[in-house]
CSV table of all heavy atoms in Angstrom, one decimal:
chain,number,residue,atom,x,y,z
A,27,ARG,N,21.3,36.0,-19.1
A,27,ARG,CA,21.8,35.7,-20.4
A,27,ARG,C,20.7,36.0,-21.5
A,27,ARG,O,20.9,36.5,-22.5
A,27,ARG,CB,22.3,34.3,-20.6
A,27,ARG,CG,23.6,34.1,-19.9
A,27,ARG,CD,23.9,32.6,-19.9
A,27,ARG,NE,25.0,32.3,-19.0
A,27,ARG,CZ,26.3,32.0,-19.4
A,27,ARG,NH1,26.5,32.1,-20.7
A,27,ARG,NH2,27.2,31.7,-18.6
A,28,ARG,N,19.4,35.5,-21.2
A,28,ARG,CA,18.4,35.6,-22.1
A,28,ARG,C,17.7,36.9,-22.2
A,28,ARG,O,17.3,37.4,-23.3
A,28,ARG,CB,17.4,34.5,-21.8
A,28,ARG,CG,16.3,34.3,-22.9
A,28,ARG,CD,15.6,33.0,-22.7
A,28,ARG,NE,14.7,32.8,-23.8
A,28,ARG,CZ,14.1,31.7,-24.1
A,28,ARG,NH1,14.3,30.7,-23.4
A,28,ARG,NH2,13.2,31.7,-25.1
A,29,PHE,N,17.5,37.5,-21.0
A,29,PHE,CA,16.7,38.8,-21.0
A,29,PHE,C,17.4,40.0,-20.5
A,29,PHE,O,16.9,41.1,-20.6
A,29,PHE,CB,15.5,38.6,-20.0
A,29,PHE,CG,14.6,37.4,-20.4
A,29,PHE,CD1,14.6,36.3,-19.7
A,29,PHE,CD2,13.8,37.5,-21.5
A,29,PHE,CE1,13.8,35.2,-20.0
A,29,PHE,CE2,13.0,36.4,-21.9
A,29,PHE,CZ,13.0,35.2,-21.1
A,30,GLY,N,18.7,39.8,-20.0
A,30,GLY,CA,19.5,40.9,-19.6
A,30,GLY,C,19.0,41.5,-18.3
A,30,GLY,O,19.2,42.7,-18.0
A,31,VAL,N,18.2,40.8,-17.5
A,31,VAL,CA,17.7,41.2,-16.2
A,31,VAL,C,18.4,40.5,-15.1
A,31,VAL,O,18.4,39.2,-15.2
A,31,VAL,CB,16.1,41.0,-16.2
A,31,VAL,CG1,15.6,41.5,-14.8
A,31,VAL,CG2,15.5,41.7,-17.3
A,32,GLU,N,18.8,41.2,-14.1
A,32,GLU,CA,19.5,40.6,-13.0
A,32,GLU,C,18.6,40.5,-11.7
A,32,GLU,O,18.0,41.5,-11.4
A,32,GLU,CB,20.8,41.4,-12.7
A,32,GLU,CG,21.7,40.7,-11.7
A,32,GLU,CD,23.0,41.5,-11.5
A,32,GLU,OE1,23.2,42.5,-12.1
A,32,GLU,OE2,23.9,40.9,-10.8
A,33,TYR,N,18.6,39.4,-11.1
A,33,TYR,CA,17.8,39.2,-9.9
A,33,TYR,C,18.7,38.6,-8.8
A,33,TYR,O,19.6,37.8,-9.1
A,33,TYR,CB,16.7,38.2,-10.1
A,33,TYR,CG,15.5,38.7,-10.9
A,33,TYR,CD1,15.4,38.4,-12.3
A,33,TYR,CD2,14.5,39.5,-10.3
A,33,TYR,CE1,14.3,38.9,-13.0
A,33,TYR,CE2,13.5,40.0,-11.1
A,33,TYR,CZ,13.4,39.7,-12.4
A,33,TYR,OH,12.3,40.2,-13.2
A,34,THR,N,18.4,38.9,-7.6
A,34,THR,CA,19.0,38.3,-6.5
A,34,THR,C,18.5,36.9,-6.4
A,34,THR,O,17.4,36.6,-6.9
A,34,THR,CB,18.8,39.0,-5.1
A,34,THR,OG1,17.4,38.9,-4.8
A,34,THR,CG2,19.3,40.4,-5.2
A,35,LEU,N,19.1,36.0,-5.6
A,35,LEU,CA,18.6,34.6,-5.5
A,35,LEU,C,17.2,34.6,-4.8
A,35,LEU,O,16.3,33.9,-5.1
A,35,LEU,CB,19.6,33.7,-4.7
A,35,LEU,CG,20.9,33.5,-5.4
A,35,LEU,CD1,21.8,32.6,-4.6
A,35,LEU,CD2,20.8,33.0,-6.8
A,36,ALA,N,17.1,35.5,-3.8
A,36,ALA,CA,15.8,35.6,-3.1
A,36,ALA,C,14.7,36.1,-4.0
A,36,ALA,O,13.6,35.6,-4.1
A,36,ALA,CB,15.9,36.5,-1.9
A,37,GLY,N,15.0,37.1,-4.9
A,37,GLY,CA,14.1,37.6,-5.9
A,37,GLY,C,13.7,36.6,-6.9
A,37,GLY,O,12.6,36.4,-7.3
A,38,MET,N,14.7,35.7,-7.3
A,38,MET,CA,14.4,34.7,-8.3
A,38,MET,C,13.5,33.6,-7.6
A,38,MET,O,12.6,33.1,-8.3
A,38,MET,CB,15.7,34.0,-8.7
A,38,MET,CG,15.6,33.0,-9.8
A,38,MET,SD,14.7,33.6,-11.3
A,38,MET,CE,15.7,35.0,-11.8
A,39,ASP,N,13.7,33.4,-6.4
A,39,ASP,CA,12.9,32.4,-5.6
A,39,ASP,C,11.4,32.9,-5.6
A,39,ASP,O,10.5,32.1,-5.9
A,39,ASP,CB,13.4,32.2,-4.2
A,39,ASP,CG,12.7,31.2,-3.4
A,39,ASP,OD1,12.5,30.0,-3.9
A,39,ASP,OD2,12.2,31.5,-2.3
A,40,VAL,N,11.2,34.1,-5.3
A,40,VAL,CA,9.9,34.7,-5.3
A,40,VAL,C,9.2,34.6,-6.7
A,40,VAL,O,8.1,34.1,-6.8
A,40,VAL,CB,9.9,36.2,-4.9
A,40,VAL,CG1,8.5,36.8,-5.1
A,40,VAL,CG2,10.3,36.3,-3.4
A,41,LEU,N,10.0,34.9,-7.7
A,41,LEU,CA,9.4,34.8,-9.1
A,41,LEU,C,9.1,33.4,-9.5
A,41,LEU,O,8.0,33.1,-10.1
A,41,LEU,CB,10.4,35.4,-10.1
A,41,LEU,CG,10.6,36.9,-10.1
A,41,LEU,CD1,11.6,37.4,-11.0
A,41,LEU,CD2,9.3,37.6,-10.4
Side-chain angles (χ1 to χ4, degrees):
R27 290 172 190 256
R28 189 163 182 168
F29 304 107
V31 179
E32 189 173 5
Y33 287 98
T34 64
L35 298 183
M38 185 55 58
D39 184 53
V40 170
L41 290 175

